[in-house]
Structures are given as structure tokens and as C-alpha cells.
Amino acid sequence: MVFAAVIAALLTVVFSWVFWHIYQVYLQSLQLSPIPGPPAAPGRLNAVLGNLSDLSGNQHHRTTTRWSEEYGGVCRLRFLDKHVILIADPVIACEMLKDKSMDKSTRAYAILNALFDDKGHSGLLTSQMTPRWRAVRKAVASALSPQTLRASFPKLRIVAQRLVEKVRLHGPDLPVDMDLLCAQLSWDIIGIVGFDTDMGATKETRHDASSGTIATVRAGMQEIEQRWGQPYRAELWKYLLPAARKGEQDLKAVHVIIRDLLTKLRKVDPESLGNMIAGQLLRLKDPQTGQLMSDDALMPEIGTMFLAGF
């Protein structure tokens, strides 16, 4: 009898919480009802998922663009129990970005952190406006001065010439994947200008995107795109879906590239790197501790420079 009473009490608490949560979602829906938005796709499951199933593929930008065209520059979405306001109007978006009281959502940006860092730390792109964020932003901005960029021109010419020679050896009669070549060039340019390191992407001999540095990076970025539309993909689905497990491995491969670069930079005197991004970051002290930035703090910053710029 006691056991049955305990189970009944627990079930009462659980059902009460579920009912209260559903009621809160309903109230929020009423408050946001004046804002237009796409309805959930037909089906009982989509009644729970909301617009989540619409973003389950890898064409999020096309879907959100279509919604903004149909419902205007401000529209309402629902993902499970969370309501989201999509801002596509450039004037409103500009005003929101100017409002310093509206900081980044750590929960929303946490998905991107998995791309930049193997421990999920936030970087310049995803961190809120903390003292360390301001210090990193100031350091990176000074590293992008015209003088610093000009100093890298001789090395950039070498990389560009390497790419030209690569296309020449490929021959005039075979198709060339220019998207791949430009991606390789961009990756190497970021490495040279920001970190005084030739990443070697333009040295790769394959002319297709099935392997190599760029294939690794793109696979990791695609996994992040999937996580935007699939909640708990990283926490739960990787145990159930082979594709999610592969995505986890793809991200680890990206982290290896970033971690290897950081290991090489640690062996270099920061003063020898001058005013470039690597030198600024290696000499930067954490405003909160007064100590030089740790590897855990530098990893997402380096990842951000490559992957956000890429």
C-alpha cells in the first residue's frame, strides 16, 4: 500500500508538472499570436515538434528565407516547447544588434561551440560580452591592420602561385572544382595571415572534395547544421543513429587540426609573431585571472578565426 501510494504521488507530481508546462506554452502562444508564422507540418508528431521538422535537413537558409518572404521580416516559430522570433528585416536586425542589453544566447550558440573546440568552450563569435571577450576582440582587431596584412603579401603570392600551378598541371581538358580550390586557398590564407603557418591545403593533390582538409572541415560544419534542427543529437542520437556517430567523429577530426596548430604555436616565441592574430592571442592575458590565456581558452579563439572566416 505504501509503495502504491508513493507511485501515485510521483505520477501526480509528474502529470501536474507536464500540465503546467503545457499551459505555460499555451499562454506564450497566445501572447505571440499577433505575430504571423508558419504552422507546424501536418501530423500528430509535428503538433508536438512544431516547426522543428521543417529544419531537419541541411537547407535551413532556404527554409527561413521562404518563411520571411511569406510571413514578413518578423515571424514566429515553435520548436517543441520553445518559441522563437525570426528577424529577417535588416532595419530591425540592425537596431537589435546595436542594443547592448540583448546579448548572445549561450544556449543557442552552444551548438556552434562544438565546431570550434573539443571541450565546448565559447569563443569570440559565441561568447557573451564578458571582459575576456572584449580583450580578445580588441586584440584581433589590432591584428587585422593594413600593415599586418601587407607583411603577409609575399607569402600569399607563393600560395596563390602554387594554386595556379596546380590548375595548370591538371590540364585544360578536365573539369576543375573551383569551389574546392577557393576553399583551399582561403584556408591557407587564414593560416598565413593570422598564424604565420602554411596549412598546406593547396598542396593537396586530389582535385575532388571527397578527402583532404576541406572535406574534413565541411563534414564537421555539416554535423553542426544537423544539430541545429535536431535537439539532443549530440547527447542522445549519437547512440542511436550511425550518421550522428559519424558526425561526432567528423567534429573530432576538425578539432585535431586546430589542436595541432595550437601545439605548434606554443613552441614559437610569441614576440616573433609580431602583431598577427597568433602573436596577439599568445601574449593576451585573461582579465579575470591576470594569467596568459590557457589552451582551453585559446582553442575556440583559433577555431573561430578559421571556421568563421572560412
Side-chain angles (χ1 to χ4, degrees):
M1 292 293 292
V2 175
F3 179 75
V6 171
I7 295 298
L10 288 176
L11 290 176
T12 300
V13 171
V14 170
F15 281 116
S16 298
W17 180 87
V18 170
F19 177 79
W20 177 85
H21 199 65
I22 293 175
Y23 181 66
Q24 293 300 313
V25 174
Y26 171 72
L27 289 180
Q28 192 174 41
S29 298
L30 290 180
Q31 293 175 345
L32 298 175
S33 59
I35 303 176
R44 294 181 179 179
L45 181 59
N46 288 323
V48 177
L49 297 177
N51 302 110
L52 198 58
S53 60
D54 296 313
L55 297 178
S56 59
N58 58 0
Q59 298 291 320
H60 302 166
H61 60 295
R62 295 182 184 273
T63 302
T64 53
T65 299
R66 174 169 54 81
W67 283 340
S68 65
E69 291 173 348
E70 293 180 11
Y71 300 99
V74 180
C75 65
R76 170 178 50 87
L77 311 174
R78 181 174 64 83
F79 304 138
L80 294 173
D81 61 335
K82 302 298 180 183
H83 289 85
V84 176
I85 304 300
L86 175 65
I87 306 295
D89 186 291
V91 176
I92 299 177
C94 183
E95 292 301 317
M96 291 182 64
L97 292 173
K98 290 179 181 178
D99 189 346
K100 295 183 178 180
S101 66
M102 302 184 67
D103 209 338
K104 301 184 187 79
S105 167
T106 53
R107 180 176 180 180
Y109 277 82
I111 296 176
L112 273 177
N113 290 335
L115 177 63
F116 303 138
D117 173 50
D118 53 2
K119 296 182 180 179
H121 296 301
S122 60
L124 182 63
L125 182 65
T126 61
S127 173
Q128 291 192 323
M129 292 184 286
T130 62
R132 186 166 75 182
W133 177 86
R134 292 185 175 89
V136 171
R137 182 189 180 195
K138 183 178 180 180
V140 171
S142 63
L144 296 177
S145 65
Q147 294 84 355
T148 304
L149 297 178
R150 278 195 208 98
S152 302
F153 280 1
K155 293 182 179 179
L156 295 181
R157 282 199 295 267
I158 294 175
V159 174
Q161 185 58 43
R162 182 196 301 162
L163 190 68
V164 171
E165 183 66 12
K166 184 176 181 178
V167 174
R168 187 185 70 78
L169 293 175
H170 189 58
D173 299 325
L174 297 175
V176 176
D177 188 343
M178 289 304 299
D179 183 58
L180 172 63
L181 294 179
C182 290
Q184 292 173 336
L185 182 62
S186 298
W187 192 260
D188 284 351
I189 286 176
I190 295 171
I192 291 173
V193 173
F195 302 91
D196 196 29
T197 301
D198 187 347
M199 301 299 290
T202 52
K203 294 179 181 179
E204 296 173 357
T205 57
R206 293 185 65 93
H207 289 273
D208 61 82
S210 61
S211 63
T213 301
I214 304 305
T216 300
V217 174
R218 285 176 173 172
M221 297 177 75
Q222 185 175 8
E223 170 61 17
I224 294 299
E225 289 182 4
Q226 293 297 319
R227 292 185 181 187
W228 281 115
Q230 297 178 5
Y232 308 112
R233 180 181 173 94
E235 296 82 2
L236 178 61
W237 288 28
K238 65 181 179 182
Y239 299 108
L240 304 175
L241 299 179
R245 289 196 293 273
K246 180 183 180 301
E248 186 80 7
Q249 295 301 316
D250 291 335
L251 287 175
K252 289 181 179 179
V254 175
H255 299 154
V256 168
I257 296 174
I258 301 171
R259 181 68 68 178
D260 287 348
L261 175 59
L262 177 56
T263 301
K264 293 178 183 178
L265 293 174
R266 283 299 192 189
K267 299 177 182 179
V268 179
D269 180 6
E271 296 300 328
S272 68
L273 296 171
N275 194 45
M276 61 178 49
I277 292 174
Q280 293 283 6
L281 290 178
L282 290 173
R283 294 191 298 267
L284 186 64
K285 293 184 177 180
D286 190 326
Q288 295 177 324
T289 64
Q291 303 296 318
L292 292 174
M293 300 268 281
S294 66
D295 284 4
D296 286 345
L298 288 175
M299 179 87 170
E301 304 301 351
I302 295 174
T304 297
M305 293 301 107
F306 272 93
L307 297 165
F310 178 74

